[in-house]
Amino acid sequence: MTRICRAAGCTSGTATRFGVHCRAHRARLRRHGSTDQQGITKAALEPYLRIVSARRAKNAGSPLWGQLEARWGDVVGYASGILERHRAGRPMPAYETKAADAVSRVAAEGLNGEVVDTALAMFVMRELEPRRFRSDRAFATQLVRRVRGVGDMNVGAGWDHRTGKVRRVYRELPPKVAEVMGAWITQALGAAGLRLAALEERDLEEKQRETQALYRALEGLT
């Protein structure tokens, strides 16, 4: 008996006998963290990267930025420890080993500042546009995708038969692996991202009050 995909509005049969989603929605769940989650592109994140960059410039002398890079370094060090224990033959959960490998690949790019800013921008986006993310799992998946997208280490090449050209292919992580890596990044950088979002909201509210005061003054002219 064919089962119907659980994704809202989908009438396709499930990909496997005991599965709950069709092939398309199963792939979307794996890629984006939710069957109805839209991928966060570099272009979509760019306004939030500018917010982080502006806050850096405004607080150029703050020790925070170095501390955040050090916290990312702690994540890298933790991942390295997992990989060392795995190579030594100690039993380790497969998803943690894969998450550690993913972190090490990002670290190998040497773009620590960009990694930190990308993660901060994602946290700011979540606070200012919460509806962009369907669930915590979807956010973690998108956070990891954007962090892994900082360099080219996680991008391969594949042949597109439709266009007859080579195209860039993003190497997906299993959902549990992305969830673990997302949790590590959140623990290290999430609080700072929330603080930047709060400052941005404060500044936006101040600008709105100034604009409203200007309009009231204009209405009072005779």
Side-chain angles (χ1 to χ4, degrees), residues 50-71:
R50 289 198 294 269
I51 288 173
V52 174
S53 179
R55 196 62 63 180
R56 267 189 182 268
K58 190 173 182 180
N59 299 272
S62 173
L64 173 66
W65 315 113
Q67 292 170 355
L68 293 179
E69 289 193 27
R71 289 182 70 83

Side-chain angles (χ1 to χ4, degrees), residues 44-222:
L45 190 61
E46 183 60 33
Y48 299 94
L49 284 168
R50 289 198 294 269
I51 288 173
V52 174
S53 179
R55 196 62 63 180
R56 267 189 182 268
K58 190 173 182 180
N59 299 272
S62 173
L64 173 66
W65 315 113
Q67 292 170 355
L68 293 179
E69 289 193 27
R71 289 182 70 83
W72 165 246
D74 290 341
V75 174
V76 174
Y78 180 71
S80 296
I82 290 176
L83 294 177
E84 287 177 6
R85 291 192 293 275
H86 175 69
R87 286 191 288 267
R90 292 183 59 181
M92 303 290 298
Y95 55 84
E96 283 199 1
T97 302
K98 291 179 179 179
D101 180 69
V103 168
S104 295
R105 288 177 179 273
V106 173
E109 300 276 0
L111 303 173
N112 296 339
E114 291 183 37
V115 167
V116 168
D117 284 2
T118 296
L120 293 176
M122 285 294 295
F123 290 117
V124 173
M125 176 187 251
R126 183 177 65 173
E127 290 302 302
L128 299 187
E129 288 191 80
R131 293 186 179 181
R132 292 290 292 265
F133 303 99
R134 299 302 185 183
S135 65
D136 290 342
R137 180 182 178 183
F139 172 75
T141 302
Q142 296 304 309
L143 170 64
V144 169
R145 281 177 59 82
R146 289 272 52 89
V147 167
R148 293 178 74 223
V150 167
D152 292 327
M153 185 67 72
N154 297 293
V155 178
W159 182 258
D160 191 329
H161 294 282
R162 292 176 299 176
T163 63
K165 298 179 180 179
V166 175
R167 65 184 179 89
R168 288 162 62 88
V169 178
Y170 179 83
R171 297 189 180 96
E172 304 289 349
L173 291 178
K176 181 62 175 178
V177 176
E179 198 171 346
V180 169
M181 184 174 171
W184 292 347
I185 297 171
T186 298
Q187 184 175 6
L189 305 174
L194 295 181
R195 175 57 178 163
L196 294 188
L199 291 173
E200 186 65 18
E201 288 182 321
R202 181 202 64 187
D203 291 351
L204 289 173
E205 291 173 358
E206 180 61 29
K207 289 180 181 178
Q208 290 175 352
R209 286 194 292 270
E210 291 175 356
T211 300
Q212 291 170 357
L214 175 62
Y215 286 153
R216 287 194 296 270
L218 289 172
E219 291 173 355
L221 291 177
T222 60

Side-chain angles (χ1 to χ4, degrees), residues 4-79:
I4 301 301
C5 176
R6 283 188 185 176
C10 184
T11 58
S12 298
T14 56
T16 64
R17 181 180 178 183
F18 299 104
V20 296
H21 294 111
C22 65
R23 292 186 184 279
H25 282 110
R26 186 177 67 176
R28 176 167 283 277
L29 178 65
R30 181 183 180 91
R31 183 177 178 84
H32 296 301
S34 176
T35 57
D36 57 350
Q37 174 66 45
Q38 294 297 314
I40 303 300
T41 64
K42 288 184 178 180
L45 190 61
E46 183 60 33
Y48 299 94
L49 284 168
R50 289 198 294 269
I51 288 173
V52 174
S53 179
R55 196 62 63 180
R56 267 189 182 268
K58 190 173 182 180
N59 299 272
S62 173
L64 173 66
W65 315 113
Q67 292 170 355
L68 293 179
E69 289 193 27
R71 289 182 70 83
W72 165 246
D74 290 341
V75 174
V76 174
Y78 180 71

